């Protein structure tokens, strides 16, 4: 006989992985029911116990409000839980193939404390089928329990937008799914207890997985289209923003803008879908074309800057360029999959000395994970300045503050349109 599910009021949650996704989720649940937040990084647990969140997603006051939340690196502390929510990263490797290593490791850890009647819910972005085909076997092997007989699974894709103070976890509608109808209903009710925007119960885990992976694939393809349009309009001598503003007067025109596509979602998720498609014998055309175009934008930015410097008779070999911003998006410390490094490496190939400043980024993480040394800008030292990320600190400097950093005759490339149109020589 299949194991009985826990009653909603008796659920004790463990959140596995306390990053940008896991911590806000653990905090919301911790305001209402017992939650154990688990992470393999002792430093992360220590800062959270001290009431600090280095991702800046959760304020100290919010951490205090989660009175029923405890943090630990001890796997045994999870044994009293009966619902395990896995929120670990799902990156790609150097060959742009899905890296399920963190997901597999988290599943192995959960398997060691899994008991009969428990539920394991995955929030990490994966390709359709990954939960049941890749994660469940790890759970079964490690626990000795049988799927949908002794334990159950669910999937509820994360929709966290780092740095976004308006769209928070509770105000974004949540997709849910379960491995049996009964498990699905319980999982949906569990999330509905904290999500004020409501939930959408998908008919299967595979449907929920597919829904998540196409959300960012759709955005990636649309941004690729606008990036390609920007390349065309630049050759035609037309301002891309003017074109988009004019086209945007039509009620159903989608308001996408050109730019670099980095981060842990849009620049990664499409590769999960294309990997699965290729495994069943289908070669995606549009999705991969969009990925190639977006991945080439850093090189395009660097080449345009160098051309503008040459036109101003600035000696490129040995020149100094300041790149302002390193994180993958504005007002956020997240460095994952940032494409600013593509600009830096391309400029360095021209034998240009590149300084990088970013008030939001962690200098140690930048050096360790990206090989980029952050520094304070040197006034009057630069032949060119790239406004790469739209941090509020840069916007507050204004044109005069940014111009003071450059030498006479320097070039500004404003990727984020932080300055008035006439204040920058180059824009996307």
């Amino acid at each position: 006989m299949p194991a009985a599910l826990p009653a909603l009021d008796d659920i004790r949650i463990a959140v596995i992985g306390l990053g940008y996704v896991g911590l806000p989720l653990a905090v919301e649940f911790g305001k209402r029911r017992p939650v154990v937040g688990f992470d393999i990084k002792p430093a992360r647990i220590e800062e959270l116990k001290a009431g600090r969140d280095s991702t800046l997603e959760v304020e100290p006051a919010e951490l205090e409000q989660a009175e029923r939340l405890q943090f630990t690196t001890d796997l045994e502390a999870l044994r009293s839980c009966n619902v395990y929510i896995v929120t670990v990263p799902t990156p790609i490797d150097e060959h742009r193939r899905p890296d399920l290593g963190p997901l597999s490791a988290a599943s192995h850890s959960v398997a060691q404390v899994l008991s009969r009647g428990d539920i394991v819910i995955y929030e990490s972005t994966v390709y359709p089928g990954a939960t049941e085909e890749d994660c469940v076997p790890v759970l079964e092997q490690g626990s000795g329990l049988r799927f949908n007989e002794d334990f159950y699974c669910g999937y509820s894709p994360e929709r966290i937008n780092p740095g976004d103070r308006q769209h928070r976890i509770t105000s974004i509608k949540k997709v849910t799914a379960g491995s049996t109808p009964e498990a699905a209903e319980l999982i949906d009710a569990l999330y509905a207890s904290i999500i004020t925007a409501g939930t959408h119960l998908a008919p299967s885990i595979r449907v929920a997985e597919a829904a998540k992976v196409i959300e960012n694939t759709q955005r990636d393809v649309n941004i690729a289209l606008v990036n390609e349009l920007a390349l065309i309009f630049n050759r035609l001598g037309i301002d891309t923003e003017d074109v988009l503003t004019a086209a945007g007067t039509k009620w159903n025109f989608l308001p996408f803008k050109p730019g670099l596509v980095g981060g842990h979602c849009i620049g990664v998720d499409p590769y999960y879908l294309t990997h699965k498609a290729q495994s069943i014998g289908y070669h995606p055309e549009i999705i991969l074309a969009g990925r190639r175009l977006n991945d080439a934008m850093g090189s395009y930015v660097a080449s345009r800057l160098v051309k503008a410097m040459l036109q101003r008779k600035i000696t490129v070999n040995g020149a100094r360029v300041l790149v302002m911003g390193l994180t993958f998006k504005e007002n956020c410390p997240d460095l994952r999959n940032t494409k600013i490094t593509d600009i830096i490496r391309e400029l360095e190939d021209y034998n240009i000395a590149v300084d990088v400043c970013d008030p939001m980024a962690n200098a140690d993480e930048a050096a360790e994970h990206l090989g980029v040394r952050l520094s304070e800008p040197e006034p009057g030292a630069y032949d060119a300045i790239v406004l790469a990320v739209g941090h509020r600190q840069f916007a507050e400097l204004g044109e005069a503050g940014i111009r003071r950093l450059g030498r006479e005759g320097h070039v500004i490339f404003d990727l984020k349109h932080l300055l008035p149109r006439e204040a920058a020589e180059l824009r996307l």
Side-chain angles (χ1 to χ4, degrees):
M1 173 180 261
L5 291 162
L8 181 61
D9 292 341
D10 294 332
I11 286 178
R12 301 176 302 280
I13 297 173
V15 177
I16 318 299
L18 298 175
Y20 287 87
V21 175
L23 181 63
L25 185 70
V27 166
E28 285 303 320
F29 276 125
K31 295 175 183 177
R32 296 166 175 81
R33 63 177 71 242
V35 178
V36 179
F38 175 85
D39 201 284
I40 60 174
K41 298 177 181 177
R44 177 63 169 160
I45 295 300
E46 289 306 312
E47 74 170 21
L48 292 175
K49 285 182 175 180
R52 303 188 308 273
D53 170 29
S54 58
T55 70
L56 306 183
E57 287 301 300
V58 177
E59 298 290 339
E62 291 180 278
L63 284 172
E64 289 183 8
Q65 292 170 7
E67 297 178 350
R68 306 184 74 180
L69 170 61
Q70 59 177 298
F71 301 110
T72 185
T73 57
D74 181 9
L75 192 60
E76 284 300 310
L78 277 58
R79 198 172 288 279
S80 63
C81 299
N82 50 19
V83 171
Y84 300 87
I85 304 179
V86 178
T87 59
V88 298
T90 43
I92 53 176
D93 63 19
E94 64 272 20
H95 304 294
R96 297 189 174 96
R97 296 175 304 200
D99 177 7
L100 295 181
L103 199 62
S104 179
S107 298
H108 178 72
S109 295
V110 170
Q112 297 178 55
V113 294
L114 197 62
S115 298
R116 186 171 164 81
D118 290 353
I119 303 173
V120 184
I121 304 170
Y122 292 90
E123 290 214 359
S124 308
T125 301
V126 291
Y127 45 75
T131 297
E132 291 157 304
E133 296 167 11
D134 296 284
C135 299
V136 164
V138 177
L139 295 172
E140 287 186 319
Q141 183 177 6
S143 67
L145 302 175
R146 294 168 298 171
F147 178 49
N148 281 344
E149 288 288 334
D150 301 315
F151 72 93
Y152 306 90
C153 279
Y155 187 78
S156 182
E158 60 89 3
R159 282 177 165 171
I160 295 294
N161 186 26
D164 190 337
R165 312 314 297 177
Q166 179 179 357
H167 300 98
R168 311 300 291 164
I169 184 171
T170 59
S171 62
I172 303 172
K173 195 159 191 171
K174 201 86 162 70
V175 174
T176 68
S179 57
T180 69
E182 296 77 16
E185 291 290 345
L186 180 59
I187 291 167
D188 190 70
L190 176 62
Y191 279 103
S193 69
I194 64 166
I195 305 298
T196 57
T199 59
H200 173 87
L201 179 55
S204 70
I205 288 176
R206 288 167 62 89
V207 167
E209 291 168 328
K212 168 56 181 174
V213 81
I214 71 164
E215 289 175 13
N216 288 318
T217 300
Q218 182 188 67
R219 285 182 55 78
D220 193 43
V221 171
N222 277 292
I223 295 171
L225 171 61
V226 177
N227 276 337
E228 188 164 52
L229 294 175
L231 269 62
I232 295 170
F233 296 145
N234 175 57
R235 293 193 176 198
L236 292 173
I238 302 173
D239 187 280
T240 302
E241 186 181 25
D242 285 344
V243 177
L244 295 178
T245 299
T249 59
K250 190 169 188 282
W251 74 92
N252 60 352
F253 185 81
L254 301 178
F256 287 92
K257 295 182 179 181
L260 304 178
V261 182
H264 66 298
C265 288
I266 300 179
V268 172
D269 294 356
Y271 288 120
Y272 275 75
L273 183 57
T274 58
H275 168 82
K276 187 64 175 182
Q278 289 168 333
S279 75
I280 57 173
Y282 180 79
H283 181 74
E285 299 287 351
I286 294 176
I287 299 171
L288 287 176
R291 280 281 74 237
R292 287 192 296 271
L293 204 151
N294 285 340
D295 279 344
M297 286 303 290
S299 177
Y300 167 74
V301 167
S303 66
R304 272 195 69 189
L305 180 64
V306 168
K307 183 181 292 186
M309 293 168 67
L310 290 171
Q311 289 171 344
R312 289 203 163 204
K313 302 189 184 318
I314 297 173
T315 302
V316 171
N317 191 358
R320 293 187 67 184
V321 170
L322 175 66
V323 173
M324 300 182 70
L326 182 62
T327 62
F328 90 89
K329 66 181 296 187
E330 65 276 3
N331 305 321
C332 170
D334 197 345
L335 292 169
R336 290 176 295 175
N337 196 38
T338 176
K339 306 307 288 184
I340 309 301
T341 52
D342 293 351
I343 301 175
I344 296 169
R345 303 306 178 215
E346 191 75 14
L347 291 174
E348 289 176 339
D349 284 345
Y350 285 96
N351 199 32
I352 292 173
V354 182
D355 284 1
V356 184
C357 67
D358 193 315
M360 298 295 297
N362 182 287
D364 292 335
E365 287 185 16
E368 179 182 356
H369 299 298
L370 303 177
V372 175
R373 186 177 66 86
L374 298 179
S375 60
E376 288 297 318
E378 183 181 335
Y382 303 103
D383 299 290
I385 298 169
V386 180
L387 284 170
V389 185
H391 292 319
R392 59 179 174 272
Q393 294 93 330
F394 298 156
E396 289 168 359
L397 283 175
E399 180 186 2
I402 293 170
R403 286 288 182 191
R404 278 196 290 269
L405 301 173
R407 294 172 176 165
E408 185 177 352
H410 65 273
V411 177
I412 290 181
F413 198 153
D414 185 3
L415 302 186
K416 305 302 293 185
H417 295 195
L418 279 185
L419 302 178
R421 181 193 307 268
E422 65 278 2
E425 287 72 31
L426 298 172
R427 304 198 311 166
L428 273 182

